[in-house]
Each structure stands twice: as structure tokens, then as C-alpha cells.
Amino acid sequence: VSFSDYRFNPETGKEPHFDKYEVLARDGMTVLDGLLYILDNVDPTLSFRFACREGVCGSCAMFINGSYRLACQTQIKNLKSSKIEVQPLPNFPIIKDLVVDLAAFFEKVEKVMPYIKTVSAPPEKERLQTQHDRHRINEVIDCILCAACQSACPQGWTDKDFLGPAALIKAYRFIGDSRDEAAKERLKLVMGEDGVWRCHSVFNCVEACPKKINQTVAISSLKRKAVAQKLKFWQR
Ligand code: SF4
């Protein structure tokens, strides 16, 4: 197969371009395997992120043949093409080649307090959760913070302060967690100027998500909770 990889090094002043590499694809080979082959055997200057190689860390989210994908979860044979074009996540500043700057993305996630916050005295052993309560946050808990949804969100393209789908569903995940005691505080954050009301339900995030999370439905639910809180009939 022929890889066409986006190259850009801001330090050289050279225009962004694509470099082509031939890779002998074997059965079971992923796009990440192909990039690693290039790095090890052809071009050690190619830069890209990866870590777990099993769809858990979210580091290798890229724009592959025109779609958002995790390189480690994308089998070359499933692309059904001998040409593979690999680009960095669009709409983020590029550090080098396929590596983008995610600092602003993680700052937004941090804003919604992505951790269980409690005010009551700690129990003797642990804060328990029923299966039913866990089930309510099953889908959103799968978010691996790959940033594909943020990259695909048209609101984020023009409004750099918009919290974005990943931060909002992180808020939804903790607001919905039966052990958390800061739901109202968090809800106030997402009701702010840069929060849920900036989402126009375009569904690009849903299409981009490699974990098949429906962020738009979760954000709509946050909007309902926000209205309920305003009208003072909010419950978890
Ligand atoms: Fe990635 Fe999906 Fe989480 Fe967005 S919601 S960061 S696309 S895993």
C-alpha cells in the first residue's frame, strides 16, 4: 500500500506537504503498524503520537482517508484502498507532522472538574454505586479523550472558548455519577456563556467518535438539566 503522510515542521519554515511511502501490508496490519514500519525502516523523522496500541489511550487519533479514526484500531485491509492518506486532527495547531497541540483541549476538560467531588464525610470503606446507577453513565464513561469530536465540531472552529463536546460529556458523566456531590456546581459551569447553549446539535462529534458515544444526546440532556435547575425542579 502507498502511505501519503502529512509533513510539517514549523521550525524549518518549509510549506506543509505530503510524503509518500510504500509499505508491504500484511494481514492484521493497522495504520499505526504502517506508520511504525515507516519510522523504523524508511524515515526516522516522521512524528506521530501513540501509546497503548489497543484503543484505550486515545493518543493516535488521526484523519485517515478523510475520516476520524484511531490509527491503532484501523486495519489497513478494512480501508479497502491501496492508498492511505494520513493527516493530523484538523483544527488544532500542529506541533510537527501528525502531532497536534492538545493543551487547550485538556484545559477545557479540566474546567468541568473531571473527577468525583464530595462534601460529605468519607464512608468507612468506599462510596458504593449500584449497578443501575453505573448503567446510567455506561456510554459516556468510555470516552478516551482522543479529541476527535472537538476537531470535528464546527462551533469549535470559530469559537475558541466553546467548551466543546468532550468537556461537556465529561461534565455529563460526573453530574450523572451517583457518588458525586458537585453536580449543581458543575451544571452551573456548563450553563455558562461557553457551555451547552453554544452547541447547535450538528452531530459531527457523533460521527467522529471512535467510541461511538452520542455526545449530542448527552449535551441535549445537559440542556434539559440546566433548564430544570433554573426552574428549581432539578434532580440528578
Ligand atoms: Fe474521543 Fe469520543 Fe471522547 Fe470525543 S467523546 S474525546 S471523540 S472518545
Side-chain angles (χ1 to χ4, degrees):
V1 292
S2 166
F3 270 67
S4 187
D5 295 343
Y6 186 94
R7 305 300 307 269
F8 177 55
N9 183 350
E11 285 175 10
T12 63
K14 211 172 150 192
E15 288 292 307
H17 60 281
F18 285 88
D19 276 346
K20 289 200 184 319
Y21 307 94
E22 297 302 311
V23 173
L24 189 60
R26 52 179 166 69
D27 226 19
M29 197 171 189
T30 65
V31 171
L32 179 62
D33 292 332
L35 292 172
L36 286 166
Y37 174 85
I38 295 165
L39 183 74
D40 290 343
N41 300 286
V42 191
D43 187 347
T45 69
L46 179 66
S47 298
F48 52 94
R49 275 198 189 106
F50 72 99
C52 74
R53 305 186 189 201
E54 51 188 341
V56 176
C57 73
S59 307
C60 67
M62 299 174 193
F63 203 58
I64 300 167
N65 281 9
S67 296
Y68 290 93
R69 302 172 197 267
L70 296 177
C72 72
Q73 298 291 287
T74 306
Q75 294 273 322
I76 287 177
K77 73 171 179 207
N78 291 346
L79 290 174
K80 300 196 184 334
S81 171
S82 59
K83 291 189 170 67
I84 299 169
E85 189 180 86
V86 189
Q87 298 185 59
L89 286 180
N91 307 307
F92 283 111
I94 295 169
I95 295 175
K96 184 173 179 289
D97 302 336
L98 303 169
V99 179
V100 294
D101 185 353
L102 293 174
F105 169 74
F106 284 112
E107 269 168 32
K108 288 175 182 186
V109 174
E110 194 61 36
K111 272 188 189 165
V112 302
M113 304 183 293
Y115 39 82
I116 288 177
K117 207 173 161 191
T118 55
V119 285
S120 59
E124 201 179 321
K125 274 195 182 162
E126 58 185 308
R127 292 180 195 274
L128 295 172
Q129 185 169 49
T130 64
Q131 281 192 1
H132 174 75
D133 284 341
R134 173 62 172 75
H135 188 74
R136 290 199 310 195
I137 50 173
N138 259 359
E139 182 179 311
V140 283
I141 224 164
D142 282 347
C143 172
I144 54 172
L145 292 174
C146 71
C149 56
Q150 182 79 23
S151 170
C153 174
Q155 182 65 16
W157 301 342
T158 53
D159 178 357
K160 295 296 165 208
D161 294 325
F162 173 50
L163 281 173
L168 289 173
I169 68 148
K170 210 40 106 178
Y172 175 86
R173 177 248 177 276
F174 285 99
I175 287 171
D177 194 308
S178 56
R179 298 162 298 177
D180 183 75
E181 293 169 353
K184 287 190 177 165
E185 190 185 339
R186 213 175 270 110
L187 204 46
K188 207 169 158 197
L189 281 170
V190 304
M191 282 162 68
E193 198 180 340
D194 304 316
V196 285
W197 305 112
R198 299 277 173 196
C199 169
H200 300 291
S201 307
V202 175
F203 285 87
N204 272 18
C205 50
V206 181
E207 207 170 305
C209 182
K211 291 292 171 184
K212 305 206 180 318
I213 295 170
N214 195 325
Q215 302 94 331
T216 309
V217 164
I219 293 170
S220 301
S221 168
L222 279 179
K223 288 176 179 172
R224 282 195 298 276
K225 287 182 200 295
V227 171
Q229 164 143 307
K230 206 81 184 154
L231 299 177
K232 301 197 189 318
F233 62 82
W234 183 78
Q235 287 179 328
R236 192 185 294 279

